[in-house]
Every structure is written in C-alpha cells, then in structure tokens.
Amino acid sequence: MHGSYSQCLVSKNQFGSLITICKWYFPSHELLINRPDKGQTQTTVVYTGSPYLSYPVYEDGILEYRGSKHKVHCKIAFNLATNQVFCRLGNDSTELAIFPDIFTIGTRRFISRSDHSGKKEYYMVLYSGRSKVLSQLKISLRATERRPYETGDLNDGTYIRQERYFIELEDGTLRIVRLSKKSVQKALGEMQSETFDNFKGDKITLSEMVKAVGEYDGY
C-alpha cells in the first residue's frame, strides 16, 4: 500500500519517550498526487522514536559552503531517515530544504561527501587532524507486525538508529571501521599505535580509536 506524506509531528508522550505522529493520505486511484483532495482518505499513524537528529527537532545552528567565508545562522533540523537538512531563518516558521557543505548543530559538526551518484551524504566529525574520524548516523523505520486479535497500545512502527564509523586519511581515502583494534590498524596501514600496545582483546572504545588516529597523525 502506498501513501503520500502529509505532515509529521515529533513530541514526547506521558512517559517522556519520543513519538512521531504522521498523517498520510491514500488516493482512491493508483496515481499519487502531491496534496490531499476530496478523493483521498486520511489516516494517522504513530511511530516510536523520531527520524531527526535531536529533540527539539530544530536547534540553533550554522550553515557553511565551501569556497565562501560567509556563515548562515539559523534553526536547523537534520532528518536522518532521508539525509535531509532543513533551515528556519529568524522567527520565520517556513521550513527550507537545503544542501549545505558543512553545518553545525550545537557542538556537533557535520561535513558532506558526495556518493557515486553525486548526492551529498553527511558525516559527523569526531576528530579532525591530518586524518579524520567520522561517524555516519542513519535511521530506518521498522513497521510493527501485528498479530490477529492482538491487544495492547502498540505503535505502528519504530525508528531504529544505526551508527557507522569511518577514518578519512590525509589523501581523502575513506575507510569504514569497527570499534576493533584489528579494524583500525588495517585502516591506518603499517603504523602500530602505542594506544593498542597493552590491549589483550580486540574490542576498543570510541575515545581509544580517536586517540590512535591522533597518534597516527603525529608520526
């Protein structure tokens, strides 16, 4: 079944948990249109969690574009499910879809890289030296599987957040890594970080990975 997106609202329920309430319009024919009409039926769905980076959805931020020293201050919302950045200027409630090269929300800084199709993907900067440690946040929606005659206040789905880590070397090469000593050492090449010398196991923390890349930059 297909539905055209109308409006979603992120809020907290009585237990303090995030929920997203969306209104969808289902047309009476196979062709989807951009706005509801009298031939469409409206339905409301409730999802656990949120597709956005933060709550409240809009936070103070800064937009930047490569080749320009001008920075734009605005309220920014980052939809992790669609990889889309939105901006509200001043007290204006108008929501603008934008494609910045770099943006900052609070203390979190994001940079863009283009994928094979030329579309921008955004990565959060965890460390920046000659090399970089980056994180890519993604959110997917898992629909709730309802069983016949099932009772209870079940939402229609849940937003699942995933995080992947990358090391970008000085030459621009981007390598995906796990929180693993072997994975990080393979990404960095022959350099053996002193951070890992006393490690007996393979599992490492994020801060230890950042420290290892910092040591790599110092060689």
Side-chain angles (χ1 to χ4, degrees):
M1 184 176 290
H2 300 281
S4 57
Y5 173 76
S6 174
Q7 184 179 4
C8 289
L9 176 66
V10 179
S11 61
K12 287 188 176 181
N13 62 17
Q14 66 269 34
F15 305 109
S17 300
L18 285 177
I19 59 171
T20 301
I21 302 174
C22 297
K23 292 181 180 179
W24 295 82
Y25 294 93
F26 295 91
S28 56
H29 48 73
E30 294 299 324
L31 297 177
L32 294 178
I33 60 176
N34 295 326
R35 58 185 179 183
D37 61 17
K38 294 181 180 179
Q40 291 183 298
T41 302
Q42 176 182 304
T43 187
T44 299
V45 293
V46 181
Y47 302 126
T48 301
S50 164
Y52 291 93
L53 172 69
S54 55
Y55 183 84
V57 170
Y58 275 90
E59 293 190 283
D60 291 331
I62 300 172
L63 307 175
E64 300 177 55
Y65 293 89
R66 296 185 179 98
S68 172
K69 295 182 179 180
H70 182 61
K71 297 182 180 181
V72 179
H73 292 260
C74 71
K75 296 280 188 179
I76 298 177
F78 183 23
N79 189 317
L80 297 171
T82 61
N83 193 47
Q84 180 62 67
V85 182
F86 298 94
C87 169
R88 287 178 177 172
L89 295 171
N91 296 322
D92 191 348
S93 61
T94 303
E95 190 174 71
L96 303 173
I98 53 175
F99 302 92
D101 293 321
I102 302 168
F103 66 93
T104 303
I105 300 178
T107 59
R108 292 165 291 190
R109 184 174 177 83
F110 293 81
I111 61 175
S112 65
R113 289 176 60 103
S114 296
D115 63 13
H116 62 279
S117 65
K119 182 181 178 181
K120 286 182 179 178
E121 292 189 325
Y122 293 101
Y123 298 81
M124 184 165 60
V125 180
L126 305 177
Y127 163 82
S128 182
R130 290 192 296 120
S131 306
K132 292 183 179 68
V133 178
L134 306 174
S135 165
Q136 188 179 51
L137 300 168
K138 293 284 189 179
I139 282 183
S140 58
L141 181 61
R142 183 176 64 196
T144 299
E145 294 184 6
R146 299 186 182 277
R147 297 179 177 87
Y149 311 110
E150 188 170 27
T151 60
D153 187 20
L154 292 177
N155 287 342
D156 298 281
T158 302
Y159 285 106
I160 307 297
R161 180 175 294 205
Q162 298 175 321
E163 185 170 12
R164 298 192 301 170
Y165 300 106
F166 297 83
I167 292 176
E168 182 181 291
L169 302 179
E170 190 175 7
D171 62 2
T173 303
L174 190 67
R175 299 179 179 178
I176 188 169
V177 292
R178 302 184 306 278
L179 292 178
S180 152
K181 181 172 67 174
K182 292 180 181 178
S183 178
V184 173
Q185 287 178 324
K186 182 178 179 181
L188 296 180
E190 296 181 358
M191 192 283 294
Q192 299 297 311
S193 170
E194 295 178 1
T195 300
F196 299 145
D197 285 350
N198 298 320
F199 274 42
K200 294 182 180 180
D202 187 50
K203 189 175 181 180
I204 61 173
T205 65
L206 181 57
S207 61
E208 288 165 343
M209 178 169 67
V210 168
K211 183 178 179 182
V213 177
E215 287 180 359
Y216 173 85
D217 279 352
Y219 280 90

